[in-house]
Each structure stands twice: as C-alpha cells, then as structure tokens.
Amino acid sequence: MKATLRALLVLMAALLTAPAFAQGPRIQQHDTFKPEEIVQAGHSFFGSVSRGIALTVQEAFRRWGAPNGYILGQEGSGAIIGGLRYGEGVLYTRNAGQMKVYWQGPTVGFDVGGEGARTMMLVYNLPSTDGIFRRFLGLDGSAYFIGGFGLTAAVADNMVVVPIRSGVGARLGVNIGYLKFTPTATWNPF
C-alpha cells in the first residue's frame, strides 16, 4: 500500500511540473481583485451564507494576498478511500475577460462521503487565461454533516488555486489529489 501511494505521489508530481502549452490572453499581475470585489461576487453567488463567505475570503486574502482571477461554479464529489470530483464554472479576470472552465480530479486518502457544492476559487499568479489548464496538487480535509464551508489550496508551478466551497452532504476525512482544469467537459479525471 505504501509503495502504491508513493508511486501515485511521484506520478502526480511529474504531471504537475509539465508546462502549459497553449497561451491565451496575458494577465498582468497588478490586475488583481480587491477583497470587497470578491466578497460582493460571493454574496451574489452564495446568497444566504454570505457572512461565512466574507470570513472565508478574508482568511484567503490574509494568507495569499490579492488574486488576479477567480472562478464561480458548482461541483460534485464522492469518496470511499479513493474519490472523484467534477465541476464547471466561469473564470473571471480583470483584463482578459471571462471563460468557461471545467475541472475534475481523483483523490486518495482516509476519506468517505459525498457532497454537492457551490464553489468559488481564487486564482493567484495566473499568467494567462490558458494557464489555468493544468493539474493543481492539493491536500483536502473535510468534516461536516448536512453542510458547511471549506477552504483549501492547490498548487502548480508558482500558481495557487484556493477553492472555497459551500457544500451540502456528509464528508469526513483527509485526502491528497489534484484538480485538472480543461476547456471542455470530460469524464476522465486523469
């Protein structure tokens, strides 16, 4: 089991270091969003749970600073030791417009449950809109019954994606996995 987990981690690290081949419109690093802009987008998107989103966004800004992009979308996931996550949303940038994106990915760990979530992802150091199309490795922990908020971080090169989820379901555990962003929907999480 340890050898399999080690091999999986080595494979994920190799996949994460692959460079992005396509380059869309360039995004300037100074074209970031202010906390109040992200909170306002969260209020509109999450609705009645807006106080929780404001506190979560403030924590993300405290840890990682101002993002130069964000994604609003929805996702579903489930796990029994190994799991899968699928989602879709819209990437918003200040100077390169908006673009539909999809994400999927496997997880492995001590994790059981399922959830459906509205998701806001803050994106840091995004070089271009097509720069999002890669795998982001992350560690995730969940402990809730019925619903709750979650904040995690996933990295690739010098980019960071911070998913903020408001989910419904039951989930308990910790896992490692990745999110693979694609321009079209796919069932293949790898």
Side-chain angles (χ1 to χ4, degrees):
M1 178 70 174
K2 288 182 183 179
T4 304
L5 184 57
R6 232 180 275 143
L8 180 62
L9 291 174
V10 168
L11 175 64
M12 285 196 299
L15 292 173
L16 289 173
T17 58
F21 295 106
Q23 294 296 320
R26 301 292 300 166
I27 297 174
Q28 303 299 315
Q29 291 303 312
H30 63 275
D31 288 333
T32 58
F33 292 93
K34 295 178 178 149
E36 48 279 356
E37 292 174 294
I38 298 296
V39 169
Q40 181 58 40
H43 285 324
S44 300
F45 184 67
F46 288 107
S48 64
V49 293
S50 57
R51 184 180 189 291
I53 190 65
L55 294 174
T56 307
V57 166
Q58 287 174 357
E59 179 61 20
F61 270 80
R62 186 187 69 74
R63 288 186 187 182
W64 294 284
N68 62 344
Y70 67 93
I71 298 169
L72 296 177
Q74 54 197 9
E75 66 182 26
S77 67
I80 299 178
I81 305 206
L84 295 173
R85 180 177 306 278
Y86 292 93
E88 66 178 90
V90 176
L91 169 66
Y92 295 89
T93 62
R94 185 164 306 287
N95 68 351
Q98 48 190 319
M99 176 176 61
K100 184 84 170 174
V101 295
Y102 300 86
W103 60 92
Q104 53 281 323
T107 61
V108 64
F110 301 102
D111 192 17
V112 64
E115 69 179 314
R118 298 197 92 182
T119 304
M120 170 186 273
M121 296 186 192
L122 306 180
V123 184
Y124 296 88
N125 303 318
L126 183 66
S128 68
T129 54
D130 288 342
I132 195 74
F133 299 127
R134 62 180 68 206
R135 289 172 178 86
F136 291 82
L137 180 65
L139 181 66
D140 188 17
S142 300
Y144 63 87
F145 180 70
I146 306 296
F149 263 102
L151 171 78
T152 61
V155 298
D157 298 327
N158 68 338
M159 294 173 47
V160 179
V161 172
V162 179
I164 301 169
R165 297 180 176 103
S166 173
V168 175
R171 197 77 182 251
L172 177 63
V174 63
N175 64 58
I176 187 168
Y178 64 79
L179 290 176
K180 177 182 77 172
F181 288 89
T182 57
T184 57
T186 179
W187 286 103
N188 180 2
F190 304 103

PDB file of all heavy atoms in Angstrom, residues 131-165:
ATOM      1  N   GLY A 131      -3.421  29.505 -18.911  1.00  0.00           N
ATOM      2  CA  GLY A 131      -2.533  28.994 -17.877  1.00  0.00           C
ATOM      3  C   GLY A 131      -3.263  28.167 -16.828  1.00  0.00           C
ATOM      4  O   GLY A 131      -2.634  27.408 -16.093  1.00  0.00           O
ATOM      5  N   ILE A 132      -4.585  28.287 -16.761  1.00  0.00           N
ATOM      6  CA  ILE A 132      -5.364  27.519 -15.799  1.00  0.00           C
ATOM      7  C   ILE A 132      -5.447  26.049 -16.196  1.00  0.00           C
ATOM      8  O   ILE A 132      -5.676  25.180 -15.353  1.00  0.00           O
ATOM      9  CB  ILE A 132      -6.788  28.119 -15.630  1.00  0.00           C
ATOM     10  CG1 ILE A 132      -7.494  27.561 -14.380  1.00  0.00           C
ATOM     11  CG2 ILE A 132      -7.648  27.866 -16.857  1.00  0.00           C
ATOM     12  CD1 ILE A 132      -6.997  28.101 -13.105  1.00  0.00           C
ATOM     13  N   PHE A 133      -5.213  25.724 -17.470  1.00  0.00           N
ATOM     14  CA  PHE A 133      -5.400  24.353 -17.965  1.00  0.00           C
ATOM     15  C   PHE A 133      -4.190  23.483 -17.635  1.00  0.00           C
ATOM     16  O   PHE A 133      -3.333  23.223 -18.473  1.00  0.00           O
ATOM     17  CB  PHE A 133      -5.708  24.350 -19.461  1.00  0.00           C
ATOM     18  CG  PHE A 133      -6.967  25.104 -19.790  1.00  0.00           C
ATOM     19  CD1 PHE A 133      -6.955  26.094 -20.747  1.00  0.00           C
ATOM     20  CD2 PHE A 133      -8.149  24.830 -19.132  1.00  0.00           C
ATOM     21  CE1 PHE A 133      -8.107  26.793 -21.055  1.00  0.00           C
ATOM     22  CE2 PHE A 133      -9.302  25.529 -19.420  1.00  0.00           C
ATOM     23  CZ  PHE A 133      -9.285  26.524 -20.382  1.00  0.00           C
ATOM     24  N   ARG A 134      -4.156  23.021 -16.393  1.00  0.00           N
ATOM     25  CA  ARG A 134      -3.110  22.149 -15.884  1.00  0.00           C
ATOM     26  C   ARG A 134      -3.639  21.469 -14.634  1.00  0.00           C
ATOM     27  O   ARG A 134      -4.759  21.691 -14.231  1.00  0.00           O
ATOM     28  CB  ARG A 134      -1.829  22.923 -15.594  1.00  0.00           C
ATOM     29  CG  ARG A 134      -2.017  23.993 -14.529  1.00  0.00           C
ATOM     30  CD  ARG A 134      -0.771  24.769 -14.230  1.00  0.00           C
ATOM     31  NE  ARG A 134      -0.430  25.574 -15.385  1.00  0.00           N
ATOM     32  CZ  ARG A 134       0.787  25.978 -15.674  1.00  0.00           C
ATOM     33  NH1 ARG A 134       1.781  25.662 -14.893  1.00  0.00           N
ATOM     34  NH2 ARG A 134       1.028  26.708 -16.723  1.00  0.00           N
ATOM     35  N   ARG A 135      -2.801  20.689 -14.008  1.00  0.00           N
ATOM     36  CA  ARG A 135      -3.170  19.984 -12.771  1.00  0.00           C
ATOM     37  C   ARG A 135      -2.613  20.744 -11.568  1.00  0.00           C
ATOM     38  O   ARG A 135      -1.457  21.130 -11.555  1.00  0.00           O
ATOM     39  CB  ARG A 135      -2.617  18.560 -12.797  1.00  0.00           C
ATOM     40  CG  ARG A 135      -3.312  17.678 -13.776  1.00  0.00           C
ATOM     41  CD  ARG A 135      -2.590  16.330 -13.897  1.00  0.00           C
ATOM     42  NE  ARG A 135      -3.268  15.450 -14.801  1.00  0.00           N
ATOM     43  CZ  ARG A 135      -3.087  15.441 -16.126  1.00  0.00           C
ATOM     44  NH1 ARG A 135      -2.242  16.277 -16.678  1.00  0.00           N
ATOM     45  NH2 ARG A 135      -3.761  14.596 -16.877  1.00  0.00           N
ATOM     46  N   PHE A 136      -3.449  20.891 -10.554  1.00  0.00           N
ATOM     47  CA  PHE A 136      -3.087  21.565  -9.315  1.00  0.00           C
ATOM     48  C   PHE A 136      -3.174  20.557  -8.175  1.00  0.00           C
ATOM     49  O   PHE A 136      -4.249  20.031  -7.887  1.00  0.00           O
ATOM     50  CB  PHE A 136      -4.029  22.740  -9.031  1.00  0.00           C
ATOM     51  CG  PHE A 136      -3.871  23.882  -9.983  1.00  0.00           C
ATOM     52  CD1 PHE A 136      -4.491  23.866 -11.225  1.00  0.00           C
ATOM     53  CD2 PHE A 136      -3.092  24.975  -9.653  1.00  0.00           C
ATOM     54  CE1 PHE A 136      -4.353  24.917 -12.113  1.00  0.00           C
ATOM     55  CE2 PHE A 136      -2.948  26.031 -10.530  1.00  0.00           C
ATOM     56  CZ  PHE A 136      -3.573  26.003 -11.763  1.00  0.00           C
ATOM     57  N   LEU A 137      -2.057  20.275  -7.535  1.00  0.00           N
ATOM     58  CA  LEU A 137      -1.975  19.305  -6.452  1.00  0.00           C
ATOM     59  C   LEU A 137      -2.386  19.951  -5.139  1.00  0.00           C
ATOM     60  O   LEU A 137      -1.990  21.083  -4.853  1.00  0.00           O
ATOM     61  CB  LEU A 137      -0.548  18.777  -6.334  1.00  0.00           C
ATOM     62  CG  LEU A 137      -0.267  17.749  -5.255  1.00  0.00           C
ATOM     63  CD1 LEU A 137      -1.035  16.466  -5.529  1.00  0.00           C
ATOM     64  CD2 LEU A 137       1.219  17.472  -5.181  1.00  0.00           C
ATOM     65  N   GLY A 138      -3.177  19.216  -4.339  1.00  0.00           N
ATOM     66  CA  GLY A 138      -3.590  19.769  -3.060  1.00  0.00           C
ATOM     67  C   GLY A 138      -3.936  18.714  -2.037  1.00  0.00           C
ATOM     68  O   GLY A 138      -4.134  17.541  -2.359  1.00  0.00           O
ATOM     69  N   LEU A 139      -4.000  19.150  -0.803  1.00  0.00           N
ATOM     70  CA  LEU A 139      -4.401  18.335   0.323  1.00  0.00           C
ATOM     71  C   LEU A 139      -5.722  18.897   0.808  1.00  0.00           C
ATOM     72  O   LEU A 139      -5.871  20.112   0.934  1.00  0.00           O
ATOM     73  CB  LEU A 139      -3.340  18.424   1.426  1.00  0.00           C
ATOM     74  CG  LEU A 139      -3.567  17.629   2.693  1.00  0.00           C
ATOM     75  CD1 LEU A 139      -3.511  16.129   2.382  1.00  0.00           C
ATOM     76  CD2 LEU A 139      -2.521  17.977   3.722  1.00  0.00           C
ATOM     77  N   ASP A 140      -6.698  18.035   1.070  1.00  0.00           N
ATOM     78  CA  ASP A 140      -8.029  18.492   1.450  1.00  0.00           C
ATOM     79  C   ASP A 140      -8.488  17.743   2.678  1.00  0.00           C
ATOM     80  O   ASP A 140      -8.272  16.538   2.792  1.00  0.00           O
ATOM     81  CB  ASP A 140      -9.005  18.250   0.287  1.00  0.00           C
ATOM     82  CG  ASP A 140     -10.371  18.872   0.519  1.00  0.00           C
ATOM     83  OD1 ASP A 140     -10.500  19.737   1.397  1.00  0.00           O
ATOM     84  OD2 ASP A 140     -11.322  18.489  -0.185  1.00  0.00           O
ATOM     85  N   GLY A 141      -9.117  18.439   3.577  1.00  0.00           N
ATOM     86  CA  GLY A 141      -9.699  17.815   4.759  1.00  0.00           C
ATOM     87  C   GLY A 141     -11.129  18.286   4.908  1.00  0.00           C
ATOM     88  O   GLY A 141     -11.426  19.457   4.683  1.00  0.00           O
ATOM     89  N   SER A 142     -12.035  17.383   5.251  1.00  0.00           N
ATOM     90  CA  SER A 142     -13.442  17.731   5.412  1.00  0.00           C
ATOM     91  C   SER A 142     -14.003  17.041   6.640  1.00  0.00           C
ATOM     92  O   SER A 142     -13.679  15.888   6.909  1.00  0.00           O
ATOM     93  CB  SER A 142     -14.257  17.281   4.193  1.00  0.00           C
ATOM     94  OG  SER A 142     -13.795  17.877   3.019  1.00  0.00           O
ATOM     95  N   ALA A 143     -14.841  17.764   7.352  1.00  0.00           N
ATOM     96  CA  ALA A 143     -15.548  17.181   8.490  1.00  0.00           C
ATOM     97  C   ALA A 143     -16.857  17.943   8.653  1.00  0.00           C
ATOM     98  O   ALA A 143     -16.899  18.987   9.298  1.00  0.00           O
ATOM     99  CB  ALA A 143     -14.715  17.260   9.757  1.00  0.00           C
ATOM    100  N   TYR A 144     -17.928  17.461   8.011  1.00  0.00           N
ATOM    101  CA  TYR A 144     -19.228  18.084   8.201  1.00  0.00           C
ATOM    102  C   TYR A 144     -20.347  17.104   7.884  1.00  0.00           C
ATOM    103  O   TYR A 144     -20.163  16.113   7.181  1.00  0.00           O
ATOM    104  CB  TYR A 144     -19.372  19.371   7.389  1.00  0.00           C
ATOM    105  CG  TYR A 144     -19.292  19.210   5.895  1.00  0.00           C
ATOM    106  CD1 TYR A 144     -20.415  18.911   5.139  1.00  0.00           C
ATOM    107  CD2 TYR A 144     -18.097  19.400   5.223  1.00  0.00           C
ATOM    108  CE1 TYR A 144     -20.337  18.774   3.765  1.00  0.00           C
ATOM    109  CE2 TYR A 144     -18.011  19.276   3.860  1.00  0.00           C
ATOM    110  CZ  TYR A 144     -19.139  18.965   3.136  1.00  0.00           C
ATOM    111  OH  TYR A 144     -19.051  18.837   1.775  1.00  0.00           O
ATOM    112  N   PHE A 145     -21.488  17.389   8.463  1.00  0.00           N
ATOM    113  CA  PHE A 145     -22.688  16.608   8.231  1.00  0.00           C
ATOM    114  C   PHE A 145     -23.774  17.589   7.836  1.00  0.00           C
ATOM    115  O   PHE A 145     -23.951  18.603   8.489  1.00  0.00           O
ATOM    116  CB  PHE A 145     -23.072  15.844   9.508  1.00  0.00           C
ATOM    117  CG  PHE A 145     -24.312  15.021   9.331  1.00  0.00           C
ATOM    118  CD1 PHE A 145     -24.278  13.890   8.534  1.00  0.00           C
ATOM    119  CD2 PHE A 145     -25.491  15.375   9.944  1.00  0.00           C
ATOM    120  CE1 PHE A 145     -25.413  13.121   8.355  1.00  0.00           C
ATOM    121  CE2 PHE A 145     -26.625  14.616   9.777  1.00  0.00           C
ATOM    122  CZ  PHE A 145     -26.587  13.485   8.984  1.00  0.00           C
ATOM    123  N   ILE A 146     -24.477  17.359   6.796  1.00  0.00           N
ATOM    124  CA  ILE A 146     -25.509  18.189   6.192  1.00  0.00           C
ATOM    125  C   ILE A 146     -24.886  19.279   5.326  1.00  0.00           C
ATOM    126  O   ILE A 146     -25.146  19.354   4.152  1.00  0.00           O
ATOM    127  CB  ILE A 146     -26.485  18.825   7.212  1.00  0.00           C
ATOM    128  CG1 ILE A 146     -27.104  17.770   8.117  1.00  0.00           C
ATOM    129  CG2 ILE A 146     -27.551  19.642   6.508  1.00  0.00           C
ATOM    130  CD1 ILE A 146     -27.975  16.758   7.415  1.00  0.00           C
ATOM    131  N   GLY A 147     -24.047  20.137   5.870  1.00  0.00           N
ATOM    132  CA  GLY A 147     -23.467  21.196   5.056  1.00  0.00           C
ATOM    133  C   GLY A 147     -22.358  21.908   5.787  1.00  0.00           C
ATOM    134  O   GLY A 147     -22.122  21.682   6.972  1.00  0.00           O
ATOM    135  N   GLY A 148     -21.656  22.783   5.060  1.00  0.00           N
ATOM    136  CA  GLY A 148     -20.580  23.535   5.667  1.00  0.00           C
ATOM    137  C   GLY A 148     -19.735  24.257   4.635  1.00  0.00           C
ATOM    138  O   GLY A 148     -19.972  24.159   3.435  1.00  0.00           O
ATOM    139  N   PHE A 149     -18.748  25.000   5.137  1.00  0.00           N
ATOM    140  CA  PHE A 149     -17.796  25.723   4.303  1.00  0.00           C
ATOM    141  C   PHE A 149     -16.457  25.025   4.341  1.00  0.00           C
ATOM    142  O   PHE A 149     -16.089  24.449   5.360  1.00  0.00           O
ATOM    143  CB  PHE A 149     -17.585  27.155   4.815  1.00  0.00           C
ATOM    144  CG  PHE A 149     -18.401  28.177   4.121  1.00  0.00           C
ATOM    145  CD1 PHE A 149     -19.531  28.687   4.710  1.00  0.00           C
ATOM    146  CD2 PHE A 149     -18.051  28.613   2.862  1.00  0.00           C
ATOM    147  CE1 PHE A 149     -20.289  29.631   4.077  1.00  0.00           C
ATOM    148  CE2 PHE A 149     -18.798  29.557   2.214  1.00  0.00           C
ATOM    149  CZ  PHE A 149     -19.937  30.075   2.820  1.00  0.00           C
ATOM    150  N   GLY A 150     -15.714  25.101   3.247  1.00  0.00           N
ATOM    151  CA  GLY A 150     -14.371  24.551   3.211  1.00  0.00           C
ATOM    152  C   GLY A 150     -13.429  25.469   2.471  1.00  0.00           C
ATOM    153  O   GLY A 150     -13.824  26.134   1.516  1.00  0.00           O
ATOM    154  N   LEU A 151     -12.186  25.527   2.894  1.00  0.00           N
ATOM    155  CA  LEU A 151     -11.147  26.333   2.262  1.00  0.00           C
ATOM    156  C   LEU A 151      -9.911  25.456   2.156  1.00  0.00           C
ATOM    157  O   LEU A 151      -9.451  24.913   3.155  1.00  0.00           O
ATOM    158  CB  LEU A 151     -10.835  27.566   3.121  1.00  0.00           C
ATOM    159  CG  LEU A 151      -9.622  28.395   2.719  1.00  0.00           C
ATOM    160  CD1 LEU A 151      -9.957  29.267   1.522  1.00  0.00           C
ATOM    161  CD2 LEU A 151      -9.167  29.253   3.873  1.00  0.00           C
ATOM    162  N   THR A 152      -9.399  25.280   0.932  1.00  0.00           N
ATOM    163  CA  THR A 152      -8.186  24.513   0.709  1.00  0.00           C
ATOM    164  C   THR A 152      -7.312  25.276  -0.275  1.00  0.00           C
ATOM    165  O   THR A 152      -7.711  26.327  -0.774  1.00  0.00           O
ATOM    166  CB  THR A 152      -8.483  23.107   0.132  1.00  0.00           C
ATOM    167  OG1 THR A 152      -9.144  23.261  -1.123  1.00  0.00           O
ATOM    168  CG2 THR A 152      -9.351  22.299   1.057  1.00  0.00           C
ATOM    169  N   ALA A 153      -6.156  24.750  -0.579  1.00  0.00           N
ATOM    170  CA  ALA A 153      -5.265  25.353  -1.573  1.00  0.00           C
ATOM    171  C   ALA A 153      -4.646  24.243  -2.396  1.00  0.00           C
ATOM    172  O   ALA A 153      -4.336  23.175  -1.886  1.00  0.00           O
ATOM    173  CB  ALA A 153      -4.176  26.184  -0.910  1.00  0.00           C
ATOM    174  N   ALA A 154      -4.491  24.506  -3.696  1.00  0.00           N
ATOM    175  CA  ALA A 154      -3.842  23.567  -4.609  1.00  0.00           C
ATOM    176  C   ALA A 154      -2.821  24.364  -5.420  1.00  0.00           C
ATOM    177  O   ALA A 154      -3.069  25.521  -5.768  1.00  0.00           O
ATOM    178  CB  ALA A 154      -4.869  22.906  -5.524  1.00  0.00           C
ATOM    179  N   VAL A 155      -1.673  23.752  -5.727  1.00  0.00           N
ATOM    180  CA  VAL A 155      -0.586  24.472  -6.377  1.00  0.00           C
ATOM    181  C   VAL A 155      -0.102  23.763  -7.637  1.00  0.00           C
ATOM    182  O   VAL A 155      -0.199  22.548  -7.766  1.00  0.00           O
ATOM    183  CB  VAL A 155       0.610  24.673  -5.423  1.00  0.00           C
ATOM    184  CG1 VAL A 155       0.222  25.513  -4.231  1.00  0.00           C
ATOM    185  CG2 VAL A 155       1.173  23.351  -4.963  1.00  0.00           C
ATOM    186  N   ALA A 156       0.432  24.568  -8.556  1.00  0.00           N
ATOM    187  CA  ALA A 156       1.119  24.098  -9.760  1.00  0.00           C
ATOM    188  C   ALA A 156       2.099  25.194 -10.147  1.00  0.00           C
ATOM    189  O   ALA A 156       1.705  26.342 -10.337  1.00  0.00           O
ATOM    190  CB  ALA A 156       0.140  23.835 -10.896  1.00  0.00           C
ATOM    191  N   ASP A 157       3.361  24.830 -10.276  1.00  0.00           N
ATOM    192  CA  ASP A 157       4.414  25.815 -10.544  1.00  0.00           C
ATOM    193  C   ASP A 157       4.311  26.914  -9.495  1.00  0.00           C
ATOM    194  O   ASP A 157       4.287  26.628  -8.329  1.00  0.00           O
ATOM    195  CB  ASP A 157       4.316  26.340 -11.976  1.00  0.00           C
ATOM    196  CG  ASP A 157       4.520  25.229 -13.006  1.00  0.00           C
ATOM    197  OD1 ASP A 157       5.304  24.296 -12.723  1.00  0.00           O
ATOM    198  OD2 ASP A 157       3.899  25.270 -14.071  1.00  0.00           O
ATOM    199  N   ASN A 158       4.194  28.178  -9.891  1.00  0.00           N
ATOM    200  CA  ASN A 158       4.056  29.237  -8.897  1.00  0.00           C
ATOM    201  C   ASN A 158       2.608  29.721  -8.781  1.00  0.00           C
ATOM    202  O   ASN A 158       2.342  30.717  -8.143  1.00  0.00           O
ATOM    203  CB  ASN A 158       4.986  30.416  -9.221  1.00  0.00           C
ATOM    204  CG  ASN A 158       4.553  31.141 -10.472  1.00  0.00           C
ATOM    205  OD1 ASN A 158       3.848  30.603 -11.322  1.00  0.00           O
ATOM    206  ND2 ASN A 158       4.981  32.377 -10.612  1.00  0.00           N
ATOM    207  N   MET A 159       1.670  28.995  -9.391  1.00  0.00           N
ATOM    208  CA  MET A 159       0.251  29.344  -9.319  1.00  0.00           C
ATOM    209  C   MET A 159      -0.400  28.650  -8.124  1.00  0.00           C
ATOM    210  O   MET A 159      -0.026  27.551  -7.753  1.00  0.00           O
ATOM    211  CB  MET A 159      -0.471  28.939 -10.605  1.00  0.00           C
ATOM    212  CG  MET A 159      -0.024  29.704 -11.819  1.00  0.00           C
ATOM    213  SD  MET A 159      -0.728  29.073 -13.354  1.00  0.00           S
ATOM    214  CE  MET A 159      -2.427  28.904 -12.961  1.00  0.00           C
ATOM    215  N   VAL A 160      -1.399  29.322  -7.548  1.00  0.00           N
ATOM    216  CA  VAL A 160      -2.163  28.764  -6.439  1.00  0.00           C
ATOM    217  C   VAL A 160      -3.642  28.935  -6.752  1.00  0.00           C
ATOM    218  O   VAL A 160      -4.069  30.009  -7.178  1.00  0.00           O
ATOM    219  CB  VAL A 160      -1.834  29.483  -5.102  1.00  0.00           C
ATOM    220  CG1 VAL A 160      -2.661  28.915  -3.958  1.00  0.00           C
ATOM    221  CG2 VAL A 160      -0.356  29.401  -4.792  1.00  0.00           C
ATOM    222  N   VAL A 161      -4.414  27.879  -6.554  1.00  0.00           N
ATOM    223  CA  VAL A 161      -5.869  27.924  -6.675  1.00  0.00           C
ATOM    224  C   VAL A 161      -6.428  27.612  -5.290  1.00  0.00           C
ATOM    225  O   VAL A 161      -6.057  26.610  -4.677  1.00  0.00           O
ATOM    226  CB  VAL A 161      -6.389  26.911  -7.721  1.00  0.00           C
ATOM    227  CG1 VAL A 161      -7.899  26.842  -7.694  1.00  0.00           C
ATOM    228  CG2 VAL A 161      -5.895  27.266  -9.107  1.00  0.00           C
ATOM    229  N   VAL A 162      -7.302  28.486  -4.794  1.00  0.00           N
ATOM    230  CA  VAL A 162      -7.880  28.328  -3.461  1.00  0.00           C
ATOM    231  C   VAL A 162      -9.384  28.111  -3.603  1.00  0.00           C
ATOM    232  O   VAL A 162     -10.145  29.065  -3.734  1.00  0.00           O
ATOM    233  CB  VAL A 162      -7.592  29.566  -2.584  1.00  0.00           C
ATOM    234  CG1 VAL A 162      -8.212  29.407  -1.201  1.00  0.00           C
ATOM    235  CG2 VAL A 162      -6.094  29.806  -2.483  1.00  0.00           C
ATOM    236  N   PRO A 163      -9.829  26.845  -3.606  1.00  0.00           N
ATOM    237  CA  PRO A 163     -11.264  26.574  -3.655  1.00  0.00           C
ATOM    238  C   PRO A 163     -11.938  26.892  -2.315  1.00  0.00           C
ATOM    239  O   PRO A 163     -11.471  26.479  -1.259  1.00  0.00           O
ATOM    240  CB  PRO A 163     -11.355  25.075  -3.946  1.00  0.00           C
ATOM    241  CG  PRO A 163     -10.008  24.689  -4.450  1.00  0.00           C
ATOM    242  CD  PRO A 163      -9.049  25.628  -3.787  1.00  0.00           C
ATOM    243  N   ILE A 164     -13.020  27.641  -2.373  1.00  0.00           N
ATOM    244  CA  ILE A 164     -13.875  27.921  -1.228  1.00  0.00           C
ATOM    245  C   ILE A 164     -15.208  27.274  -1.561  1.00  0.00           C
ATOM    246  O   ILE A 164     -15.853  27.659  -2.527  1.00  0.00           O
ATOM    247  CB  ILE A 164     -14.041  29.426  -0.994  1.00  0.00           C
ATOM    248  CG1 ILE A 164     -12.676  30.076  -0.750  1.00  0.00           C
ATOM    249  CG2 ILE A 164     -15.003  29.697   0.147  1.00  0.00           C
ATOM    250  CD1 ILE A 164     -12.707  31.600  -0.768  1.00  0.00           C
ATOM    251  N   ARG A 165     -15.606  26.279  -0.765  1.00  0.00           N
ATOM    252  CA  ARG A 165     -16.795  25.508  -1.087  1.00  0.00           C
ATOM    253  C   ARG A 165     -17.867  25.692  -0.024  1.00  0.00           C
ATOM    254  O   ARG A 165     -17.574  25.672   1.161  1.00  0.00           O
ATOM    255  CB  ARG A 165     -16.443  24.028  -1.192  1.00  0.00           C
ATOM    256  CG  ARG A 165     -15.470  23.726  -2.289  1.00  0.00           C
ATOM    257  CD  ARG A 165     -15.146  22.239  -2.356  1.00  0.00           C
ATOM    258  NE  ARG A 165     -14.267  21.958  -3.483  1.00  0.00           N
ATOM    259  CZ  ARG A 165     -12.965  21.733  -3.364  1.00  0.00           C
ATOM    260  NH1 ARG A 165     -12.406  21.727  -2.188  1.00  0.00           N
ATOM    261  NH2 ARG A 165     -12.238  21.500  -4.444  1.00  0.00           N
TER     262      ARG A 165
END
